[in-house]
Amino acid sequence: MKCPFCGEADTKVIDSRPADENTSIRRRRQCDKCNKRFTTYEKVESIPLVVIKKDQTREPYDRAKIERGVFRSCHKLPISVDDMNLLVDKVETEIFNKEINEVPSSLIGELVMEGLEKLNAVAYVRFASIYREFKDVDTFMEELKKILDK
């Protein structure tokens, strides 16, 4: 590993430990030339994932988009950030476990809705109102009736 301070190619690992819930390895390194220390992270390279949108265009998968949708849906509700991140992690895990290169955005949306439905009914309705693009009050009320019937 090249030293970020002096550019020397020879560095040694002085400490290794798991990071990010055992999904990566954190390594403390020391440069043999300048003796400065720095940290690197080693992570498994994942399959590049492409999302197929409703209009059939394709774009690279972006976890931040799922996070934004979940966080907006849960805004001002008694839901912890940890719970929201756990939901996003579960959705992401389910997507990557399919081991496919392309995933429809509709699948991602349905997975988020399933998770929000279990987490908080108001957050679920907020997300559903945007995701399902309710055109009028009647379709919105139908979705609410589904929740109330459960």
Side-chain angles (χ1 to χ4, degrees):
M1 178 65 63
K2 190 175 178 181
C3 175
F5 303 106
C6 70
E8 177 67 25
D10 291 327
T11 60
K12 62 182 171 189
V13 175
I14 54 176
D15 181 44
S16 287
R17 63 180 63 172
D20 298 329
E21 298 179 8
N22 289 331
T23 60
S24 64
I25 297 175
R26 176 186 181 271
R27 297 194 194 282
R28 281 298 284 162
R29 296 177 177 270
Q30 184 171 1
C31 177
D32 290 337
K33 184 177 179 185
C34 68
N35 289 325
K36 290 193 178 180
R37 294 181 176 190
F38 59 99
T39 303
T40 60
Y41 291 88
E42 184 178 316
K43 195 170 194 166
V44 174
E45 188 173 31
S46 61
I47 304 167
L49 186 63
V50 174
V51 176
I52 305 169
K53 305 199 42 134
K54 288 179 185 176
D55 64 0
Q56 299 305 305
T57 58
R58 286 161 167 74
E59 66 179 41
Y61 168 78
D62 184 3
R63 176 190 169 95
K65 285 189 172 189
I66 298 172
E67 288 173 338
R68 281 192 300 273
V70 169
F71 279 59
R72 268 192 226 122
S73 300
C74 297
H75 183 67
K76 293 189 178 181
L77 293 174
I79 302 169
S80 71
V81 173
D82 288 341
D83 287 343
M84 289 184 260
N85 282 325
L86 188 61
L87 170 60
V88 175
D89 289 344
K90 285 180 182 177
V91 169
E92 190 173 64
T93 298
E94 198 158 333
I95 293 166
F96 280 100
N97 282 346
K98 293 193 179 298
E99 296 182 5
I100 54 177
N101 293 336
E102 295 184 329
V103 63
S105 62
S106 59
L107 173 66
I108 297 171
E110 292 299 325
L111 292 172
V112 171
M113 284 184 43
E114 284 175 24
L116 284 173
E117 189 173 22
K118 294 172 187 167
L119 193 60
N120 184 285
V122 174
Y124 168 78
V125 171
R126 285 178 179 172
F127 187 86
S129 68
I130 302 297
Y131 174 70
R132 293 244 167 97
E133 299 175 342
F134 297 138
K135 301 295 182 209
D136 55 32
V137 176
D138 293 332
T139 53
F140 187 74
M141 290 304 292
E142 287 174 23
E143 192 67 35
L144 286 176
K145 284 178 187 172
K146 289 178 191 174
I147 293 172
L148 294 172
D149 289 342
K150 289 182 182 178

